[in-house]
Amino acid sequence: MLAGFVSFEGIDGSGKTTVSRLVAESLRAEGHTVHLTHEPTKTWLGDAVRHATDDDVGPIAESFLFLADRAAHQTDIRAHLDKGELVLCDRYADSTYAYQGARLEGLVKDPIRFLRRASELWMLRPDLTILLRIPAELGRKRIEGRPNLIRFEDLAFLEKVAANYDRLARSRRFTVLDGTRSPEEVTLAAVSAIRKRLTPQKR
Ligand code: ADP
Ligand code: TYD
């Protein structure tokens, strides 16, 4: 059985939701127990985050709300990991580093370091983070039709977010995939990265 914690990251429209679903289906079909989850969560804390970004409460309040949603979410993630399951999370900590890292520019010194320091003592560290890399222009094109779902869609902003992701992806924890390929191709590459990184557990 594959067990461990895998996060999917990338700018809006990079294919995280599509690919994480296909990866979950593919691994479930092989008999693995997969818990697929998402941030912002579906709880009231996730609603608070969406409310805060819709109303633009400002980058500092928004940052701590994303962290609060994550702090509560990881109790649930930990429970699934403790049962020996494979947890796939569509967005996790790197979303905050990449997005709020860009939002906090000019407000605090070294925003990513600021966000890390606010969370590193309690944050679950993914065993693997899959970054789906696409040009910001393509991401925006893919989500053009979405009604009011995107709060941070400005192209210049998404380019900053993409640059933050590239910087974060220098860590060994990351595998970077070309998200411009078909969902099926990206899914195969993601499954292969998961197999390579995670050790099977006997259950
Ligand atoms: P994200 O969760 O990263 O915002 P989605 O998975 O919701 O991205 O995909 C955004 C849109 O792009 C959807 O309409 C989806 O069908 C489409 N899409 C996703 N992955 C691909 C891909 N590899 N190639 C072409 N279109 C894709
Ligand atoms: P999401 O619903 O995952 O959007 P998408 O499917 O387009 O990727 O996330 C909603 C928005 O919240 C998205 O623009 C990214 C942003 N976000 C942050 O800014 N910080 C965070 O920590 C998270 C989890 C999301």
Side-chain angles (χ1 to χ4, degrees):
M1 281 290 169
L2 283 173
F5 181 26
V6 178
S7 59
F8 287 79
E9 294 285 355
I11 59 169
D12 304 281
S14 56
K16 298 175 300 297
T17 304
T18 306
V19 169
S20 57
R21 276 195 195 138
L22 289 171
V23 167
E25 275 171 24
S26 153
L27 291 173
R28 280 181 189 137
E30 288 180 17
H32 300 287
T33 307
V34 182
H35 177 68
L36 174 62
T37 183
H38 180 265
E39 288 190 9
T41 64
K42 293 192 193 97
T43 68
W44 70 266
L45 280 162
D47 290 341
V49 166
R50 282 179 283 271
H51 206 125
T53 52
D54 285 344
D55 281 4
D56 195 2
V57 294
I60 296 184
E62 162 197 312
S63 296
F64 285 105
L65 284 168
F66 277 114
L67 292 180
D69 187 33
R70 182 157 311 122
H73 187 203
Q74 67 168 10
T75 307
D76 178 53
I77 294 177
R78 206 184 284 276
H80 285 275
L81 291 173
D82 287 347
K83 285 195 274 182
E85 297 178 8
L86 174 64
V87 177
L88 306 180
C89 194
D90 175 0
R91 290 198 182 280
Y92 190 65
D94 299 292
S95 285
T96 304
Y97 303 149
Y99 283 75
Q100 279 59 54
R103 295 265 294 155
L104 288 167
E105 252 176 43
L107 276 175
V108 298
K109 208 175 129 202
D110 197 346
I112 294 184
R113 188 172 137 90
F114 168 81
L115 293 163
R116 275 191 201 283
R117 292 190 67 174
S119 52
E120 66 196 351
L121 293 179
W122 52 267
M123 184 80 70
L124 266 174
R125 188 183 152 88
D127 298 296
L128 168 67
T129 297
I130 295 176
L131 173 62
L132 304 184
R133 204 165 180 275
I134 60 161
E137 186 78 64
L138 175 60
R140 216 183 45 167
K141 224 177 187 169
R142 282 188 186 166
I143 58 174
E144 246 164 17
R146 271 188 202 175
N148 243 355
L149 267 177
I150 298 306
R151 288 154 286 276
F152 303 134
E153 84 276 33
D154 177 69
L155 194 59
F157 177 76
L158 282 183
E159 272 161 3
K160 273 193 199 163
V161 173
N164 280 344
Y165 271 130
D166 285 346
R167 195 175 132 201
L168 292 162
R170 289 188 210 138
S171 152
R172 272 207 65 248
R173 173 167 58 84
F174 275 78
T175 288
V176 182
L177 301 180
D178 174 4
T180 65
R181 293 178 294 167
S182 73
E184 293 71 26
E185 284 173 306
V186 184
T187 300
L188 276 178
V191 167
S192 152
I194 291 170
R195 278 194 224 288
K196 220 182 265 174
R197 185 69 59 92
L198 300 187
T199 43
Q201 312 270 308
K202 278 202 183 123
R203 288 180 57 202

